[in-house]
Amino acid sequence: MAGLSVAVALGARQAGTPAETMTPVAAETERTRPLLPHTRPDCAVQKCVALTFDDGPGPQTRALLRMLRRANAVATWFPVGEVAAAHPERLRAIARAGHEIGNHSWSHPVLPRQGDLTVAGEITRTADVVERATGVRPRLVRPPYGALSPRVRVALKQLGAPIVLWDVDPLDWKYRDADLVHRNVVDFVRPGSIVLLHDIHASTVAAVPLILATLAAQGYTFVSVSDLFGTALRAGRVHTDHAAA
Ligand code: NI
């Protein structure tokens, strides 16, 4: 998967460099104004949808944050630890803008093929990086490729992690076409959906304003995964959507 190779390349290039001492590129040091104090949406009465961004945060994080801000939209990132460690300033910008950050493992392996110690290490090492960058320890875990096994679920439960999958997958890693990604999202979203996107692809970032405009016109509110579920999130449980009953 492209995301994985990018992550590995970045991780290798930055190996041995403490994240705190790295100099962020200029485009990523500009200040972002925080969102207004967070009001939890009521997804029992509102049409809610959770956009999620995996495998980054990508190089266009700042542009993506501006798009979301213009649409008054909140989203959730599932960063790969290797990428996050190389770009803590991206994590800080995401958190400062009021979005949610979860955990997509350190090196994007197929977790069911790893031993229990490796699974725990993949998750806790990434959580440490996110917490160091943002001050908030991520709780939500999205397993790479959505790959799970009963053993991995037990391990994630022991780590206190609700497992977050998705019900809408536009295959944006495969179709590098903003119009097609847009259509593949809006044709399948329903209230309570979780949408899988990868912000490491320019075509996906280009699709986001289209997705926001179409779904906003249909009355959707863009919320974080935690806001979508409220108190219904459970460690070790798989959450794919939160459709109204
Ligand atoms: Ni991934």
mmCIF file of all heavy atoms in Angstrom, residues 16-57:
data_model
loop_
_atom_site.group_PDB
_atom_site.id
_atom_site.type_symbol
_atom_site.label_atom_id
_atom_site.label_comp_id
_atom_site.label_asym_id
_atom_site.label_seq_id
_atom_site.Cartn_x
_atom_site.Cartn_y
_atom_site.Cartn_z
ATOM 1 N N GLY A 16 16.352 8.164 14.494
ATOM 2 C CA GLY A 16 17.352 8.683 15.411
ATOM 3 C C GLY A 16 17.226 10.159 15.691
ATOM 4 O O GLY A 16 17.949 10.698 16.513
ATOM 5 N N THR A 17 16.327 10.840 15.011
ATOM 6 C CA THR A 17 16.148 12.273 15.258
ATOM 7 C C THR A 17 15.003 12.475 16.237
ATOM 8 O O THR A 17 13.881 12.115 15.926
ATOM 9 C CB THR A 17 15.786 13.010 13.955
ATOM 10 O OG1 THR A 17 16.718 12.623 12.963
ATOM 11 C CG2 THR A 17 15.825 14.508 14.133
ATOM 12 N N PRO A 18 15.272 13.020 17.400
ATOM 13 C CA PRO A 18 14.152 13.235 18.325
ATOM 14 C C PRO A 18 13.121 14.174 17.697
ATOM 15 O O PRO A 18 13.484 15.200 17.120
ATOM 16 C CB PRO A 18 14.816 13.901 19.541
ATOM 17 C CG PRO A 18 16.283 13.677 19.378
ATOM 18 C CD PRO A 18 16.540 13.512 17.904
ATOM 19 N N ALA A 19 11.839 13.801 17.790
ATOM 20 C CA ALA A 19 10.778 14.577 17.148
ATOM 21 C C ALA A 19 10.804 16.032 17.612
ATOM 22 O O ALA A 19 10.588 16.939 16.826
ATOM 23 C CB ALA A 19 9.421 13.947 17.467
ATOM 24 N N GLU A 20 11.145 16.255 18.880
ATOM 25 C CA GLU A 20 11.048 17.601 19.440
ATOM 26 C C GLU A 20 12.043 18.575 18.817
ATOM 27 O O GLU A 20 11.827 19.777 18.826
ATOM 28 C CB GLU A 20 11.272 17.560 20.958
ATOM 29 C CG GLU A 20 10.164 16.905 21.751
ATOM 30 C CD GLU A 20 10.242 15.394 21.702
ATOM 31 O OE1 GLU A 20 11.204 14.838 21.112
ATOM 32 O OE2 GLU A 20 9.336 14.762 22.232
ATOM 33 N N THR A 21 13.155 18.038 18.307
ATOM 34 C CA THR A 21 14.191 18.933 17.822
ATOM 35 C C THR A 21 14.081 19.196 16.322
ATOM 36 O O THR A 21 14.836 19.963 15.770
ATOM 37 C CB THR A 21 15.584 18.330 18.085
ATOM 38 O OG1 THR A 21 15.689 17.120 17.349
ATOM 39 C CG2 THR A 21 15.809 18.056 19.549
ATOM 40 N N MET A 22 13.107 18.554 15.659
ATOM 41 C CA MET A 22 13.018 18.715 14.212
ATOM 42 C C MET A 22 12.414 20.049 13.840
ATOM 43 O O MET A 22 11.558 20.562 14.525
ATOM 44 C CB MET A 22 12.189 17.582 13.616
ATOM 45 C CG MET A 22 13.015 16.320 13.569
ATOM 46 S SD MET A 22 12.026 14.905 13.194
ATOM 47 C CE MET A 22 10.713 15.656 12.322
ATOM 48 N N THR A 23 12.854 20.601 12.732
ATOM 49 C CA THR A 23 12.342 21.883 12.285
ATOM 50 C C THR A 23 11.216 21.664 11.295
ATOM 51 O O THR A 23 11.432 21.109 10.229
ATOM 52 C CB THR A 23 13.463 22.693 11.588
ATOM 53 O OG1 THR A 23 14.590 22.700 12.440
ATOM 54 C CG2 THR A 23 13.006 24.103 11.311
ATOM 55 N N PRO A 24 10.002 22.097 11.642
ATOM 56 C CA PRO A 24 8.904 21.917 10.693
ATOM 57 C C PRO A 24 9.071 22.832 9.489
ATOM 58 O O PRO A 24 9.718 23.878 9.584
ATOM 59 C CB PRO A 24 7.658 22.293 11.503
ATOM 60 C CG PRO A 24 8.141 23.004 12.719
ATOM 61 C CD PRO A 24 9.594 22.712 12.889
ATOM 62 N N VAL A 25 8.527 22.421 8.341
ATOM 63 C CA VAL A 25 8.602 23.295 7.175
ATOM 64 C C VAL A 25 7.729 24.519 7.406
ATOM 65 O O VAL A 25 6.787 24.490 8.180
ATOM 66 C CB VAL A 25 8.169 22.558 5.884
ATOM 67 C CG1 VAL A 25 9.074 21.381 5.628
ATOM 68 C CG2 VAL A 25 6.727 22.129 5.948
ATOM 69 N N ALA A 26 8.034 25.592 6.691
ATOM 70 C CA ALA A 26 7.401 26.888 6.973
ATOM 71 C C ALA A 26 5.878 26.826 6.878
ATOM 72 O O ALA A 26 5.174 27.382 7.708
ATOM 73 C CB ALA A 26 7.947 27.935 6.007
ATOM 74 N N ALA A 27 5.388 26.123 5.860
ATOM 75 C CA ALA A 27 3.936 26.083 5.643
ATOM 76 C C ALA A 27 3.219 25.485 6.836
ATOM 77 O O ALA A 27 2.031 25.692 7.031
ATOM 78 C CB ALA A 27 3.617 25.285 4.394
ATOM 79 N N GLU A 28 3.956 24.737 7.641
ATOM 80 C CA GLU A 28 3.289 24.041 8.735
ATOM 81 C C GLU A 28 3.506 24.717 10.083
ATOM 82 O O GLU A 28 3.083 24.202 11.097
ATOM 83 C CB GLU A 28 3.767 22.597 8.767
ATOM 84 C CG GLU A 28 3.227 21.834 7.572
ATOM 85 C CD GLU A 28 3.784 20.456 7.433
ATOM 86 O OE1 GLU A 28 4.895 20.225 7.921
ATOM 87 O OE2 GLU A 28 3.107 19.635 6.823
ATOM 88 N N THR A 29 4.169 25.845 10.081
ATOM 89 C CA THR A 29 4.376 26.524 11.348
ATOM 90 C C THR A 29 3.398 27.680 11.545
ATOM 91 O O THR A 29 3.307 28.235 12.625
ATOM 92 C CB THR A 29 5.813 27.085 11.453
ATOM 93 O OG1 THR A 29 6.042 27.906 10.316
ATOM 94 C CG2 THR A 29 6.834 25.977 11.485
ATOM 95 N N GLU A 30 2.644 28.021 10.503
ATOM 96 C CA GLU A 30 1.707 29.138 10.645
ATOM 97 C C GLU A 30 0.643 28.781 11.693
ATOM 98 O O GLU A 30 0.259 27.626 11.842
ATOM 99 C CB GLU A 30 1.040 29.458 9.307
ATOM 100 C CG GLU A 30 -0.011 28.441 8.916
ATOM 101 C CD GLU A 30 -0.633 28.720 7.550
ATOM 102 O OE1 GLU A 30 0.131 28.826 6.580
ATOM 103 O OE2 GLU A 30 -1.845 28.833 7.477
ATOM 104 N N ARG A 31 0.207 29.776 12.417
ATOM 105 C CA ARG A 31 -0.740 29.494 13.508
ATOM 106 C C ARG A 31 -2.121 29.183 12.946
ATOM 107 O O ARG A 31 -2.534 29.710 11.941
ATOM 108 C CB ARG A 31 -0.834 30.711 14.427
ATOM 109 C CG ARG A 31 0.241 30.748 15.498
ATOM 110 C CD ARG A 31 -0.051 31.829 16.511
ATOM 111 N NE ARG A 31 -1.268 31.558 17.258
ATOM 112 C CZ ARG A 31 -2.287 32.396 17.362
ATOM 113 N NH1 ARG A 31 -2.254 33.532 16.744
ATOM 114 N NH2 ARG A 31 -3.334 32.086 18.080
ATOM 115 N N THR A 32 -2.812 28.307 13.644
ATOM 116 C CA THR A 32 -4.224 28.074 13.316
ATOM 117 C C THR A 32 -5.035 28.598 14.491
ATOM 118 O O THR A 32 -4.672 28.356 15.628
ATOM 119 C CB THR A 32 -4.562 26.567 13.226
ATOM 120 O OG1 THR A 32 -3.402 25.819 13.485
ATOM 121 C CG2 THR A 32 -5.192 26.224 11.911
ATOM 122 N N ARG A 33 -6.107 29.254 14.184
ATOM 123 C CA ARG A 33 -6.999 29.659 15.272
ATOM 124 C C ARG A 33 -7.798 28.451 15.724
ATOM 125 O O ARG A 33 -8.280 27.688 14.903
ATOM 126 C CB ARG A 33 -7.957 30.759 14.801
ATOM 127 C CG ARG A 33 -7.346 32.150 14.851
ATOM 128 C CD ARG A 33 -8.322 33.153 14.307
ATOM 129 N NE ARG A 33 -8.606 32.890 12.903
ATOM 130 C CZ ARG A 33 -9.796 33.049 12.337
ATOM 131 N NH1 ARG A 33 -10.818 33.446 13.052
ATOM 132 N NH2 ARG A 33 -9.967 32.817 11.059
ATOM 133 N N PRO A 34 -7.962 28.251 17.016
ATOM 134 C CA PRO A 34 -8.767 27.109 17.452
ATOM 135 C C PRO A 34 -10.236 27.330 17.110
ATOM 136 O O PRO A 34 -10.682 28.468 16.951
ATOM 137 C CB PRO A 34 -8.563 27.089 18.970
ATOM 138 C CG PRO A 34 -8.112 28.463 19.334
ATOM 139 C CD PRO A 34 -7.431 29.043 18.133
ATOM 140 N N LEU A 35 -10.956 26.242 16.985
ATOM 141 C CA LEU A 35 -12.400 26.352 16.774
ATOM 142 C C LEU A 35 -13.041 26.938 18.022
ATOM 143 O O LEU A 35 -12.438 27.005 19.081
ATOM 144 C CB LEU A 35 -12.993 24.964 16.521
ATOM 145 C CG LEU A 35 -12.588 24.259 15.226
ATOM 146 C CD1 LEU A 35 -13.180 22.863 15.208
ATOM 147 C CD2 LEU A 35 -13.085 25.059 14.030
ATOM 148 N N LEU A 36 -14.253 27.374 17.880
ATOM 149 C CA LEU A 36 -15.004 27.828 19.044
ATOM 150 C C LEU A 36 -15.174 26.658 20.008
ATOM 151 O O LEU A 36 -15.021 25.510 19.610
ATOM 152 C CB LEU A 36 -16.379 28.352 18.592
ATOM 153 C CG LEU A 36 -16.291 29.620 17.727
ATOM 154 C CD1 LEU A 36 -17.651 29.947 17.133
ATOM 155 C CD2 LEU A 36 -15.778 30.784 18.550
ATOM 156 N N PRO A 37 -15.466 26.938 21.281
ATOM 157 C CA PRO A 37 -15.622 25.838 22.241
ATOM 158 C C PRO A 37 -16.548 24.759 21.688
ATOM 159 O O PRO A 37 -17.581 25.040 21.101
ATOM 160 C CB PRO A 37 -16.246 26.545 23.447
ATOM 161 C CG PRO A 37 -15.761 27.950 23.350
ATOM 162 C CD PRO A 37 -15.646 28.246 21.882
ATOM 163 N N HIS A 38 -16.128 23.539 21.890
ATOM 164 C CA HIS A 38 -16.779 22.405 21.250
ATOM 165 C C HIS A 38 -18.160 22.141 21.837
ATOM 166 O O HIS A 38 -18.304 21.949 23.028
ATOM 167 C CB HIS A 38 -15.895 21.183 21.417
ATOM 168 C CG HIS A 38 -16.383 19.997 20.674
ATOM 169 N ND1 HIS A 38 -16.598 20.024 19.321
ATOM 170 C CD2 HIS A 38 -16.717 18.760 21.090
ATOM 171 C CE1 HIS A 38 -17.030 18.838 18.944
ATOM 172 N NE2 HIS A 38 -17.121 18.055 19.990
ATOM 173 N N THR A 39 -19.162 22.134 20.980
ATOM 174 C CA THR A 39 -20.505 21.749 21.396
ATOM 175 C C THR A 39 -20.775 20.366 20.829
ATOM 176 O O THR A 39 -20.671 20.159 19.626
ATOM 177 C CB THR A 39 -21.554 22.728 20.827
ATOM 178 O OG1 THR A 39 -21.050 24.052 20.960
ATOM 179 C CG2 THR A 39 -22.859 22.604 21.562
ATOM 180 N N ARG A 40 -21.094 19.440 21.684
ATOM 181 C CA ARG A 40 -21.320 18.073 21.233
ATOM 182 C C ARG A 40 -22.628 17.991 20.445
ATOM 183 O O ARG A 40 -23.688 18.356 20.956
ATOM 184 C CB ARG A 40 -21.380 17.152 22.447
ATOM 185 C CG ARG A 40 -21.423 15.674 22.115
ATOM 186 C CD ARG A 40 -21.355 14.853 23.393
ATOM 187 N NE ARG A 40 -20.024 14.917 23.988
ATOM 188 C CZ ARG A 40 -19.033 14.090 23.668
ATOM 189 N NH1 ARG A 40 -19.217 13.160 22.765
ATOM 190 N NH2 ARG A 40 -17.862 14.204 24.234
ATOM 191 N N PRO A 41 -22.564 17.542 19.205
ATOM 192 C CA PRO A 41 -23.799 17.436 18.424
ATOM 193 C C PRO A 41 -24.646 16.273 18.937
ATOM 194 O O PRO A 41 -24.121 15.328 19.514
ATOM 195 C CB PRO A 41 -23.280 17.140 17.014
ATOM 196 C CG PRO A 41 -21.960 16.495 17.230
ATOM 197 C CD PRO A 41 -21.387 17.075 18.491
ATOM 198 N N ASP A 42 -25.941 16.366 18.729
ATOM 199 C CA ASP A 42 -26.837 15.283 19.115
ATOM 200 C C ASP A 42 -27.180 14.469 17.866
ATOM 201 O O ASP A 42 -28.088 14.817 17.104
ATOM 202 C CB ASP A 42 -28.102 15.835 19.772
ATOM 203 C CG ASP A 42 -29.008 14.705 20.272
ATOM 204 O OD1 ASP A 42 -28.677 13.525 20.008
ATOM 205 O OD2 ASP A 42 -30.028 14.998 20.907
ATOM 206 N N CYS A 43 -26.451 13.386 17.666
ATOM 207 C CA CYS A 43 -26.610 12.599 16.440
ATOM 208 C C CYS A 43 -27.874 11.735 16.466
ATOM 209 O O CYS A 43 -28.161 11.046 15.485
ATOM 210 C CB CYS A 43 -25.363 11.758 16.188
ATOM 211 S SG CYS A 43 -23.916 12.798 15.838
ATOM 212 N N ALA A 44 -28.606 11.771 17.577
ATOM 213 C CA ALA A 44 -29.910 11.100 17.596
ATOM 214 C C ALA A 44 -30.928 11.923 16.813
ATOM 215 O O ALA A 44 -31.895 11.380 16.279
ATOM 216 C CB ALA A 44 -30.379 10.888 19.032
ATOM 217 N N VAL A 45 -30.709 13.246 16.752
ATOM 218 C CA VAL A 45 -31.659 14.097 16.028
ATOM 219 C C VAL A 45 -31.049 14.712 14.771
ATOM 220 O O VAL A 45 -31.748 14.987 13.803
ATOM 221 C CB VAL A 45 -32.234 15.215 16.945
ATOM 222 C CG1 VAL A 45 -33.103 14.607 18.029
ATOM 223 C CG2 VAL A 45 -31.140 16.061 17.542
ATOM 224 N N GLN A 46 -29.701 14.894 14.769
ATOM 225 C CA GLN A 46 -29.044 15.460 13.588
ATOM 226 C C GLN A 46 -28.567 14.338 12.669
ATOM 227 O O GLN A 46 -28.306 13.227 13.122
ATOM 228 C CB GLN A 46 -27.837 16.308 14.010
ATOM 229 C CG GLN A 46 -28.202 17.643 14.636
ATOM 230 C CD GLN A 46 -26.973 18.310 15.243
ATOM 231 O OE1 GLN A 46 -26.611 18.083 16.380
ATOM 232 N NE2 GLN A 46 -26.319 19.126 14.440
ATOM 233 N N LYS A 47 -28.452 14.647 11.383
ATOM 234 C CA LYS A 47 -27.828 13.705 10.443
ATOM 235 C C LYS A 47 -26.322 13.876 10.567
ATOM 236 O O LYS A 47 -25.776 14.865 10.097
ATOM 237 C CB LYS A 47 -28.254 14.025 9.000
ATOM 238 C CG LYS A 47 -29.670 13.577 8.652
ATOM 239 C CD LYS A 47 -30.112 14.163 7.322
ATOM 240 C CE LYS A 47 -29.448 13.520 6.124
ATOM 241 N NZ LYS A 47 -30.027 14.013 4.839
ATOM 242 N N CYS A 48 -25.673 12.917 11.207
ATOM 243 C CA CYS A 48 -24.237 13.033 11.445
ATOM 244 C C CYS A 48 -23.464 12.091 10.525
ATOM 245 O O CYS A 48 -23.931 11.009 10.186
ATOM 246 C CB CYS A 48 -23.902 12.678 12.893
ATOM 247 S SG CYS A 48 -24.481 13.887 14.099
ATOM 248 N N VAL A 49 -22.260 12.515 10.167
ATOM 249 C CA VAL A 49 -21.338 11.657 9.432
ATOM 250 C C VAL A 49 -19.925 11.945 9.949
ATOM 251 O O VAL A 49 -19.595 13.083 10.261
ATOM 252 C CB VAL A 49 -21.437 11.876 7.902
ATOM 253 C CG1 VAL A 49 -21.147 13.328 7.528
ATOM 254 C CG2 VAL A 49 -20.519 10.924 7.135
ATOM 255 N N ALA A 50 -19.120 10.878 10.075
ATOM 256 C CA ALA A 50 -17.744 11.027 10.553
ATOM 257 C C ALA A 50 -16.779 10.749 9.405
ATOM 258 O O ALA A 50 -16.685 9.619 8.924
ATOM 259 C CB ALA A 50 -17.480 10.072 11.720
ATOM 260 N N LEU A 51 -16.077 11.798 8.966
ATOM 261 C CA LEU A 51 -14.997 11.624 7.981
ATOM 262 C C LEU A 51 -13.736 11.241 8.739
ATOM 263 O O LEU A 51 -13.404 11.848 9.755
ATOM 264 C CB LEU A 51 -14.760 12.926 7.203
ATOM 265 C CG LEU A 51 -15.944 13.521 6.443
ATOM 266 C CD1 LEU A 51 -15.500 14.762 5.672
ATOM 267 C CD2 LEU A 51 -16.586 12.500 5.504
ATOM 268 N N THR A 52 -13.014 10.226 8.234
ATOM 269 C CA THR A 52 -11.784 9.801 8.892
ATOM 270 C C THR A 52 -10.636 9.761 7.879
ATOM 271 O O THR A 52 -10.840 9.429 6.712
ATOM 272 C CB THR A 52 -11.954 8.412 9.548
ATOM 273 O OG1 THR A 52 -12.191 7.414 8.544
ATOM 274 C CG2 THR A 52 -13.117 8.416 10.535
ATOM 275 N N PHE A 53 -9.455 10.132 8.354
ATOM 276 C CA PHE A 53 -8.268 10.225 7.483
ATOM 277 C C PHE A 53 -7.166 9.331 8.031
ATOM 278 O O PHE A 53 -6.643 9.565 9.117
ATOM 279 C CB PHE A 53 -7.785 11.681 7.410
ATOM 280 C CG PHE A 53 -8.812 12.617 6.810
ATOM 281 C CD1 PHE A 53 -9.524 13.503 7.604
ATOM 282 C CD2 PHE A 53 -9.075 12.599 5.447
ATOM 283 C CE1 PHE A 53 -10.477 14.359 7.049
ATOM 284 C CE2 PHE A 53 -10.020 13.444 4.883
ATOM 285 C CZ PHE A 53 -10.727 14.323 5.685
ATOM 286 N N ASP A 54 -6.780 8.326 7.259
ATOM 287 C CA ASP A 54 -5.788 7.337 7.692
ATOM 288 C C ASP A 54 -4.426 7.555 7.025
ATOM 289 O O ASP A 54 -4.323 8.164 5.957
ATOM 290 C CB ASP A 54 -6.245 5.929 7.291
ATOM 291 C CG ASP A 54 -7.363 5.399 8.180
ATOM 292 O OD1 ASP A 54 -7.994 6.205 8.891
ATOM 293 O OD2 ASP A 54 -7.605 4.182 8.137
ATOM 294 N N ASP A 55 -3.425 6.951 7.632
ATOM 295 C CA ASP A 55 -2.084 6.725 7.079
ATOM 296 C C ASP A 55 -1.175 7.950 7.094
ATOM 297 O O ASP A 55 -0.012 7.850 6.713
ATOM 298 C CB ASP A 55 -2.135 6.189 5.631
ATOM 299 C CG ASP A 55 -2.731 4.786 5.549
ATOM 300 O OD1 ASP A 55 -3.110 4.254 6.609
ATOM 301 O OD2 ASP A 55 -2.818 4.243 4.444
ATOM 302 N N GLY A 56 -1.669 9.118 7.470
ATOM 303 C CA GLY A 56 -0.850 10.316 7.513
ATOM 304 C C GLY A 56 -0.454 10.636 8.932
ATOM 305 O O GLY A 56 -0.080 9.722 9.658
ATOM 306 N N PRO A 57 -0.585 11.919 9.320
ATOM 307 C CA PRO A 57 -1.173 13.021 8.542
ATOM 308 C C PRO A 57 -0.318 13.361 7.321
ATOM 309 O O PRO A 57 0.905 13.366 7.394
ATOM 310 C CB PRO A 57 -1.179 14.194 9.527
ATOM 311 C CG PRO A 57 -0.897 13.601 10.876
ATOM 312 C CD PRO A 57 -0.126 12.352 10.634
#
